Amino acid sequence: MQTKIFNTSKPDLLKASKLIETGGTLAFPTETVYGLGADATNNLAVAKIFQAKGRPSFNPLIIHCFSIEQIQAFAMWSSEAQTVAEKFWPGPLTMVLPLLPHSKIASLALAGLQTVAVRIPAHSIAQSILKLANTPIAAPSANPSGSVSATKTEHVISKLNGKIEGIVSGGSSEIGLEITIISFLPDPRILRFGAIDEADISEILSLDLKKKALDGEISAPGQLSSHYAPKGSIRLNSKVFKNKEVSLGFGKVICDLNLSRTENLIEAAANLFDCLHKLDEMGAEKIAVSPIPEEGIGIAINDRLKRAAAPK
Ligand code: TXA
Ligand code: MG
């Protein structure tokens, strides 16, 4: 794949945002680090992010937006969220909010969770892309899994050239530090310390968030054990499905649900969390899953399936 480099002129930003609209992956600067973005409502586009990063597992992604109204279309807003937003947005702060039912956000971007991490970046290029594409953009940091975050276009080019569709060359990310993450579930707590001082957030919410974190009430993201798993028991690497099992196939097999008939791993990743949710809707008690090749994004699919199959 050839990676297109865009400058920050209006016509180039328009072309870059078209890439997002048409399901492509695009690296762009934010004030914290470069993000690797895709249309957050498109599972296939989001799957390409994980493929490009070579992530061995699926983490939920931050959904970047340009306005509170845009967020309110898919997340449950609250007066506390409003207070924090008025003080710190646009800026280097991410809020975790409950997801609204029937939201359009791709299940893969949420790793199947019913909560969603949202951010309104202050960086003018990020804002332009978000407005022009007119869709929420899911984006982790624009670096291969396990390597340091990119704060310059050159970092992104050296690590991801040929693996993503485009890069907006927009100078350095001024902060270069990861974002602060605050959750409101069930009440405000800091999940990740970062660019914004927790004392400033504590002050406007009249709470001592630091004390809470030290008291051990913190649940660090990345260590989230609550990623979605269906209720039924799961048998992996099933070449033959048994009676009474609900089958989740891969490739040309006769089955109840199929991750990808054409054995396309990106498509399988895109369908994964929707299929896991469907298995619950079907009331599946015993689930059998076809073997999935342990290569590329298949490694992340197998990781998720193994966790789902572990005794509950
Ligand atoms: O500055 C940044 O944070 C960059 C820019 C591009 O926004 N993003 C970034 O993303 O570094 P990433 O994927 O490295 O970190 C996102 C964090 C992860 O630790 C993830 O677990 C957490 O956000 N997260 C996402 N959704 C969540 C949710 N629903 N609940 C709790 N944590 C969540
Ligand atoms: Mg990262």
Side-chain angles (χ1 to χ4, degrees):
M1 160 188 327
Q2 174 143 27
T3 304
K4 294 194 192 83
I5 313 279
F6 301 99
N7 61 36
T8 55
S9 67
K10 187 92 200 263
D12 257 37
L13 289 179
L14 248 177
K15 282 186 215 150
S17 64
K18 277 274 172 305
L19 254 187
I20 295 278
E21 282 177 67
T22 53
T25 46
L26 177 78
F28 61 91
T30 78
E31 68 274 26
T32 49
V33 296
Y34 269 69
L36 176 56
D39 180 351
T41 65
N42 179 339
N43 266 318
L44 258 183
V46 174
K48 291 198 219 163
I49 296 178
F50 289 103
Q51 166 88 354
K53 280 184 69 93
R55 267 202 179 175
S57 61
F58 295 116
N59 253 348
L61 304 179
I62 297 174
I63 310 299
H64 297 63
C65 294
F66 67 82
S67 71
I68 292 174
E69 291 70 45
Q70 196 182 28
I71 292 170
Q72 286 169 331
F74 61 84
M76 204 179 287
W77 200 242
S78 64
S79 58
E80 278 163 334
Q82 181 69 28
T83 306
V84 173
E86 278 171 15
K87 173 87 179 171
F88 298 108
W89 275 355
L93 180 90
T94 289
M95 295 192 214
V96 177
L97 301 169
L99 188 71
L100 289 178
H102 313 297
S103 90
K104 283 200 191 143
I105 303 298
S107 56
L108 186 59
L110 304 169
L113 297 175
Q114 294 300 314
T115 58
V116 57
V118 289
R119 162 178 187 193
I120 299 185
H123 198 290
S124 64
I125 305 302
Q127 287 196 352
S128 301
I129 299 283
L130 281 162
K131 276 190 198 134
L132 290 168
N134 198 25
T135 184
I137 295 179
S141 44
N143 52 274
S145 184
S147 84
V148 290
S149 301
T151 52
K152 287 192 168 89
T153 309
E154 299 82 72
H155 299 160
V156 185
I157 295 174
S158 75
K159 297 276 176 57
L160 292 174
N161 197 20
K163 294 187 171 158
I164 60 179
E165 269 107 341
I167 303 174
V168 183
S169 175
S172 302
S173 296
E174 324 68 283
I175 300 179
L177 229 189
E178 285 185 309
I179 205 160
T180 302
I181 304 180
I182 178 170
S183 166
F184 292 96
L185 305 158
D187 47 83
R189 64 192 61 218
I190 304 278
L191 296 185
R192 182 162 88 192
F193 291 92
I196 288 185
D197 194 348
E198 122 286 321
D200 295 337
I201 309 175
S202 290
E203 190 183 318
I204 61 153
L205 289 174
S206 312
L207 281 169
D208 189 349
L209 293 169
K210 183 152 202 181
K211 180 168 182 308
K212 250 183 156 174
L214 294 175
D215 286 347
E217 286 188 48
I218 193 162
S219 61
Q223 296 168 359
L224 284 174
S225 54
S226 55
H227 290 193
Y228 190 77
K231 295 189 187 74
S233 65
I234 299 183
R235 195 166 64 84
L236 301 174
N237 296 317
S238 313
K239 295 207 174 89
V240 184
F241 303 126
K242 297 179 189 161
N243 241 345
K244 292 193 182 158
E245 279 181 332
V246 181
S247 50
L248 178 58
F250 178 78
K252 289 182 197 66
V253 285
I254 297 170
C255 53
D256 298 302
L257 297 171
N258 201 322
L259 287 166
S260 170
R261 274 182 207 290
T262 57
E263 299 188 12
N264 177 332
L265 285 169
I266 295 185
E267 184 186 33
N271 287 332
L272 179 64
F273 287 98
D274 286 344
C275 285
L276 296 182
H277 279 289
K278 267 190 208 133
L279 288 166
D280 271 349
E281 284 161 23
M282 293 160 79
E285 285 173 13
K286 290 188 172 167
I287 300 159
V289 188
S290 289
I292 313 288
E294 183 76 357
E295 62 192 43
I297 201 170
I299 296 170
I301 298 173
N302 282 324
D303 171 79
R304 177 85 295 269
L305 288 170
K306 272 181 224 147
R307 286 164 195 268
K312 296 174 183 95

